[in-house]
Amino acid sequence: MADKSRRGFLRTIFGTWFGIAWTALTASAAGMTLGTIRFLYPNALSEPPSKFKVGFPSDFETGQVDNRFKDQNAWIVRIRDPQLGDIIYALSTTCTHLGCTPNWLEGEQKFKCPCHGSGFKITGVNFEGPAPRPLERWAIRIAEDGQLEVDKSKKFQKELGQWDDPESYVKV
Amino acid sequence: MHTATQLAHSVQIGLGVFYLFVALMNVGFALYQCYAANNRRQGIVWSLVAGVFLVHSLAYFAGANWIISAGFRDFTTQVMGYYGGQLGPILYTTVSIILFVLFLRYRKFFTEPVVAWSILNLGLLAAGWSLTDDNFRKIITKEDNVPIVMLIFSVGFFTWLPFRRAVLNDERMANGEPPMEKEEEEKVLVWPDLVYTEMIAMIVCTFVLVIWSVLLKAPLEQPATTAKAPNPSKAPWYFLGLQEMLVYYDPWMAGVVLPTMIIIGLIAIPYIDFNQKGNGYYTFVERKFAITTFLFGFIVLWCTLIVLGTFLRGPNWNFFGPFEYWDPHKVLPLNNVNLSDYFWLPLGVTFPEGQGIGGILVREAPGIILVLLYFAALPPLLAKTIMRPFFIKMGFVRFFLLINLFQFMAALPIKMVLRWAFNLKYIIYIPEYFFNI
């Protein structure tokens, strides 16, 4: 007969071996569920700082792609743009097709992705292979100390007409 | 890099063992022809073939330096590079499809044991000659690629075997006899017959895996970093068909929609294919459409693309001929153009970037109309015309399910041909909303 008093409840869940077994099972199942939920939020630093300085504008040569910041997901490129003149911009190193990291091929003057063969011009515009849109550009500005500062928290996409935004390049 | 004119000693020994193996295979076949099939003449022919391979074997053991002709090698590489470097994949796919059609059409000839055996021998001879080329050998003997070499032979064998039986059965049934399988309807017991067979299979499997893991090194690469992707970056071998698909399609299509369609299609087969014939025995004539469609998807679109991805796709995912050096700086100009550009540019219409939905829909109207026609208008048209018997037999739902799945399968070769012939990139191109077909 079920004992409906407060002590009876405790006796039911801890008083018999059968009760202890079920209680332990419930507790461990609940623990596992909580652990699984906790697993979805890894205990890691979310992002390295999104802003970093890459040097003075005079450090970059016109027509050159700077590979030094590739592990920070940026190529620093200085070109002579027909409309804007001498500009520096920061290209994202993530292929817009499926997210591999392309390589800059100096001899062929193009970024070429090793995964599916997408090719991008020095401007980041896609011209061969399956990549559906140009590489993205990061925000770039001249900081107070005169160095270039890339800000990866803002991105600019050509197909949305965002490359005209003065934040997406630095005029030299 | 140029192929060495003098084979290394280890290569000579390897080729000696290879030809010895092929010679022994042919000795076995000659004995089979002589004593089991009671065909003396075939026995003599295959003994002679075994002798030729044995001579090859002994010559390489003795230090012979027979190598594939540089002229042939360079010719192959040159041919593959025609048409702006695009002829390679075109040739490869076209020849695969032609061979597939020829095999189905002349299955009686190709499944003849002597013919099949000759093809195998020619293939092995070609492989033997090709193995004297440094570039070919380097790629064929790479640890990752060993399963694919095995795949070529095992898929070949397991296509031949059922087709051989199907051809024999079809002949019998044409003469009014029952298929072979109906005559050997002897029942066997699970224990011990089946369980023992399974146990032996497991032991052989374990044995092979142990030998494999001892002899071939694990294909490990450098620690992963986002800054440096291996060039070429290859998917696991069983996904190379998908990776090849991704060359022609947007990741959303090739990575999500088409694989989902493959899985749905495979699940749907038993519901679409209600043909009761061919149950428990091999036949081709009674299930022509089903077998042809399935094998086209499996062999041409899946297996040959795995082989293409493994052996013929090199750095920057460029196509390389079988004897070509994998040069990461090979220049292949592939200027791809969207359908909307093909349509609007000659009319002098340009569309600014960053416009709204209305403008995008106008810009992509030609592609959208084509895709809608393909999926909505083509199936009823087929039901009315050439596929009318199918439609009547299968009913509305089954027929349209079949045709739509079929269209998704055909989408890959269609896009490949369009890419090669017109440098077409996307039929519908809406990068603003990640929607490209």
Side-chain angles (χ1 to χ4, degrees):
Chain A
M1 200 53 225
D3 187 349
K4 284 187 184 160
S5 68
R6 214 177 276 180
R7 190 162 298 164
F9 173 71
L10 283 176
R11 208 176 287 136
T12 311
I13 62 169
F14 291 120
T16 64
W17 288 114
F18 195 67
I20 290 171
W22 272 111
T23 309
L25 180 72
T26 312
S28 49
M32 276 167 70
T33 312
L34 288 175
T36 309
I37 293 170
R38 176 67 187 81
F39 182 73
L40 297 176
Y41 301 91
N43 186 16
L45 274 179
S46 52
E47 279 286 301
S50 70
K51 289 183 185 176
F52 56 94
K53 293 189 175 161
V54 294
F56 295 96
S58 54
D59 297 348
F60 300 93
E61 276 179 59
T62 308
Q64 291 290 314
V65 172
D66 196 313
N67 256 322
R68 284 178 298 162
F69 303 96
K70 203 175 167 186
D71 46 359
Q72 275 154 291
N73 197 358
W75 282 300
I76 316 297
V77 188
R78 177 169 176 176
I79 60 161
R80 198 170 293 284
D81 188 90
Q83 274 123 45
L84 301 167
D86 200 357
I87 58 167
I88 296 179
Y89 50 84
L91 278 178
S92 156
T93 60
T94 306
C95 178
T96 51
H97 178 232
L98 211 55
C100 288
T101 307
N103 300 305
W104 170 247
L105 303 178
E106 184 68 43
E108 293 84 38
Q109 286 290 305
K110 68 183 178 190
F111 298 99
K112 187 78 177 163
C113 183
C115 292
H116 306 94
S118 294
F120 305 88
K121 290 176 182 158
I122 191 170
T123 53
V125 172
N126 52 325
F127 71 103
E128 63 180 9
R133 52 199 188 85
L135 293 173
E136 288 163 2
R137 287 184 185 178
W138 303 124
I140 191 168
R141 68 182 190 108
I142 293 184
E144 291 67 32
D145 60 357
Q147 289 202 61
L148 289 165
E149 187 186 63
V150 175
D151 180 1
K152 291 199 294 178
S153 62
K154 276 188 220 153
K155 64 179 184 186
F156 297 90
Q157 293 169 240
K158 182 176 192 296
E159 71 278 8
L160 300 181
Q162 293 169 339
W163 282 9
D164 300 330
D165 194 314
E167 268 192 278
S168 71
Y169 58 89
V170 160
K171 230 172 161 173
V172 184
Chain B
M1 194 172 94
H2 285 282
T3 307
T5 43
Q6 175 64 50
L7 292 174
H9 184 62
S10 59
V11 177
Q12 287 170 330
I13 298 295
L15 283 168
V17 173
F18 173 79
Y19 281 115
L20 186 64
F21 177 72
V22 181
L24 287 177
M25 268 171 49
N26 276 296
V27 168
F29 193 68
L31 288 175
Y32 165 81
Q33 285 291 350
C34 235
Y35 296 105
N38 256 329
N39 193 336
R40 273 286 160 79
R41 202 199 287 164
Q42 287 292 337
I44 293 169
V45 168
W46 295 107
S47 307
L48 287 175
V49 172
V52 171
F53 281 119
L54 193 63
V55 170
H56 272 74
S57 167
L58 293 176
Y60 276 114
F61 276 129
N65 195 45
W66 300 340
I67 55 175
I68 192 164
S69 112
F72 174 74
R73 214 188 58 219
D74 297 343
F75 173 74
T76 328
T77 306
Q78 205 187 343
V79 167
M80 298 285 180
Y82 281 143
Y83 192 51
Q86 284 283 49
L87 192 62
I90 299 177
L91 207 61
Y92 179 83
T93 315
T94 319
V95 169
S96 313
I97 293 174
I98 291 175
L99 286 180
F100 177 71
V101 172
L102 283 180
F103 176 76
L104 290 184
R105 175 72 189 78
Y106 299 104
R107 56 190 182 281
K108 202 179 269 180
F109 172 75
F110 281 112
T111 55
E112 208 50 57
V114 173
V115 176
W117 189 257
S118 310
I119 293 172
L120 175 65
N121 267 312
L122 287 174
L124 289 172
L125 187 64
W129 277 110
S130 302
L131 278 170
T132 60
D133 178 78
D134 281 347
N135 298 322
F136 185 88
R137 193 175 58 248
K138 208 170 139 196
I139 290 156
I140 288 287
T141 55
K142 204 174 166 226
E143 283 87 356
D144 318 34
N145 298 348
V146 172
I148 315 303
V149 177
M150 285 160 48
L151 175 137
I152 295 175
F153 290 100
S154 57
V155 165
F157 175 71
F158 286 112
T159 311
W160 170 78
L161 184 64
F163 263 94
R164 170 71 184 158
R165 301 199 65 134
V167 164
L168 293 177
N169 274 344
D170 290 340
E171 269 174 15
R172 292 172 65 108
M173 286 187 282
N175 298 332
E177 295 170 62
M180 288 182 286
E181 288 83 357
K182 293 274 181 238
E183 290 193 346
E184 40 190 66
E185 269 191 318
E186 189 196 349
K187 290 208 166 77
V188 291
L189 299 168
V190 169
W191 171 267
D193 304 80
L194 176 69
V195 174
Y196 262 73
T197 314
E198 286 177 346
M199 190 188 77
I200 292 165
M202 279 193 270
I203 292 172
V204 171
C205 209
T206 314
F207 180 74
V208 169
L209 285 178
V210 168
I211 300 284
W212 186 326
S213 58
V214 170
L215 289 183
L216 299 178
K217 289 194 186 77
L220 299 178
E221 293 180 19
Q222 75 267 28
T225 122
T226 49
K228 200 173 185 309
N231 192 7
S233 285
K234 290 198 178 184
W237 64 267
Y238 42 86
F239 280 154
L240 283 172
L242 289 183
Q243 193 171 4
E244 195 60 28
M245 206 144 84
L246 278 160
V247 174
Y248 302 94
Y249 277 105
D250 182 85
W252 174 85
M253 273 297 280
V256 182
V257 175
L258 293 176
T260 311
M261 281 331 228
I262 295 174
I263 294 168
I264 292 179
L266 288 172
I267 295 172
I269 285 177
Y271 300 96
I272 293 174
D273 179 17
F274 55 91
N275 185 354
Q276 292 290 323
K277 290 179 179 157
N279 233 333
Y281 60 94
Y282 291 102
T283 173
F284 181 74
V285 173
E286 290 179 351
R287 328 179 42 91
K288 266 187 184 157
F289 182 78
I291 294 177
T292 309
T293 311
F294 179 80
L295 285 186
F296 182 76
F298 178 65
I299 293 189
V300 179
L301 293 185
W302 195 252
C303 295
T304 66
L305 288 187
I306 288 175
V307 173
L308 170 75
T310 308
F311 300 124
L312 305 172
R313 287 290 188 185
N316 300 326
W317 212 248
N318 282 330
F319 183 93
F320 289 85
F323 307 118
E324 197 172 347
Y325 170 59
W326 281 19
D327 178 7
H329 292 285
K330 178 178 178 178
V331 181
L332 275 182
L334 308 164
N335 243 319
N336 297 328
V337 186
N338 294 312
L339 181 69
S340 49
D341 294 336
Y342 271 127
F343 187 81
W344 292 113
L345 284 183
L347 299 177
V349 184
T350 49
F351 292 87
E353 277 161 358
Q355 55 184 342
I357 291 194
I360 293 172
L361 287 180
V362 173
R363 184 186 71 200
E364 299 306 325
I368 293 172
I369 291 170
L370 271 185
V371 171
L372 284 180
L373 281 178
Y374 180 67
F375 278 113
L378 191 59
L381 193 72
L382 287 173
K384 283 260 179 201
T385 56
I386 47 172
M387 296 195 83
R388 185 145 184 82
F390 276 82
F391 180 63
I392 292 167
K393 205 165 63 183
M394 299 178 73
F396 185 83
V397 176
R398 274 210 188 97
F399 179 79
F400 282 99
L401 197 59
L402 168 77
I403 292 299
N404 274 322
L405 288 169
F406 200 83
Q407 284 178 310
F408 273 103
M409 185 167 93
L412 177 62
I414 289 175
K415 191 77 190 284
M416 285 172 137
V417 169
L418 290 175
R419 173 71 61 85
W420 297 329
F422 307 107
N423 255 323
L424 184 80
K425 188 183 214 166
Y426 288 116
I427 299 167
I428 297 179
Y429 175 69
I430 309 180
E432 293 88 344
Y433 295 96
F434 307 104
F435 187 87
N436 309 291
I437 292 177

